[in-house]
Amino acid sequence: MKQKKWTPKKELDGSNTLIFGDKPEMLPEQAYISLTRGEGLNLIQLFINQVMTLLVMNQMKKAPGLIYAELNGELKEWKGNGQTMTIWDGKQMPKFRNHNTHGFAMKFFTWIIHRKNTKNYYLTYSAKETIPSVAEVKDILKQYGKFYDGGVLARKAAPPGTGEDKKSS
């Protein structure tokens, strides 16, 4: 089996994406997609986010059930946006999400990232055989994701195809 590695990619919009593994053409029936996005991060938040992201990326290399991942970021006018997409075989993502470096990062991010200057989105849903592009992830999160505006929950998640609010990550 081929060893997965992180590779950089420059997007058409000028942002940069780090890709882990090869984007699969077919997904397992029980595949789940987990999406996150933070907007409006200041330079201190971006620095902390980068350090924590590097630590989590190392944990991702060893995560059972991780099929594919994309980490996208951009900096415009001294404000940054960060976006992640991970694709999981089955429901192994919660074990990764809640433990080790990522578990610590989630607790830490709540304090440092959910601030008055940010908008944050989170969503986990069944993959339904398609993997969204970087631009589509942004649109999906803005339409369906759990949304925090200035650190305050403004909307619960309603994953695509459900038509109802569901508890999401």
Side-chain angles (χ1 to χ4, degrees):
M1 182 176 194
K2 184 178 167 187
Q3 179 80 15
K4 291 181 189 175
K5 64 178 186 171
W6 289 99
T7 54
K9 177 186 174 191
K10 185 83 167 169
E11 300 293 337
L12 295 176
D13 66 1
S15 66
N16 293 293
T17 301
L18 283 172
I19 299 169
F20 184 65
D22 295 321
K23 199 171 203 174
E25 291 182 30
M26 293 288 294
L27 291 173
E29 189 176 312
Q30 69 280 9
Y32 283 83
I33 296 178
S34 180
L35 309 174
T36 64
R37 182 173 176 83
E39 298 179 344
L41 283 71
N42 63 37
L43 293 177
I44 293 169
Q45 290 168 312
L46 284 171
F47 175 76
I48 293 168
N49 182 61
Q50 182 63 31
V51 169
M52 296 306 295
T53 297
L54 291 171
L55 294 171
V56 171
M57 285 171 62
N58 191 44
Q59 181 186 353
M60 291 172 88
K61 289 180 184 180
K62 305 169 199 154
L66 180 63
I67 297 171
Y68 179 75
E70 290 182 355
L71 309 177
N72 177 269
E74 62 184 337
L75 178 64
K76 292 182 180 178
E77 299 176 14
W78 300 100
K79 293 286 182 179
N81 302 324
Q83 179 173 286
T84 65
M85 174 178 65
T86 54
I87 301 173
W88 299 86
D89 185 3
K91 292 192 177 191
Q92 297 184 42
M93 185 270 298
K95 184 176 181 183
F96 169 82
R97 178 190 65 204
N98 298 331
H99 295 87
N100 300 322
T101 305
H102 192 275
F104 171 77
M106 281 185 7
K107 291 176 183 134
F108 190 71
F109 281 158
T110 300
W111 172 71
I112 197 70
I113 301 299
H114 287 203
R115 309 296 282 187
K116 289 181 180 179
N117 63 307
T118 64
K119 296 184 183 314
N120 300 282
Y121 303 85
Y122 306 93
L123 182 64
T124 299
Y125 65 99
S126 180
K128 307 284 191 223
E129 301 174 9
T130 60
I131 300 172
S133 67
V134 168
E136 290 170 332
V137 166
K138 180 180 175 183
D139 293 340
I140 290 167
L141 280 166
K142 290 197 177 225
Q143 184 173 357
Y144 301 105
K146 182 191 290 186
F147 174 48
Y148 287 86
D149 189 358
V152 176
L153 179 63
R155 181 186 67 222
K156 292 182 179 181
T162 64
E164 61 187 57
D165 284 354
K166 284 199 171 184
K167 191 172 184 178
S168 183
S169 59

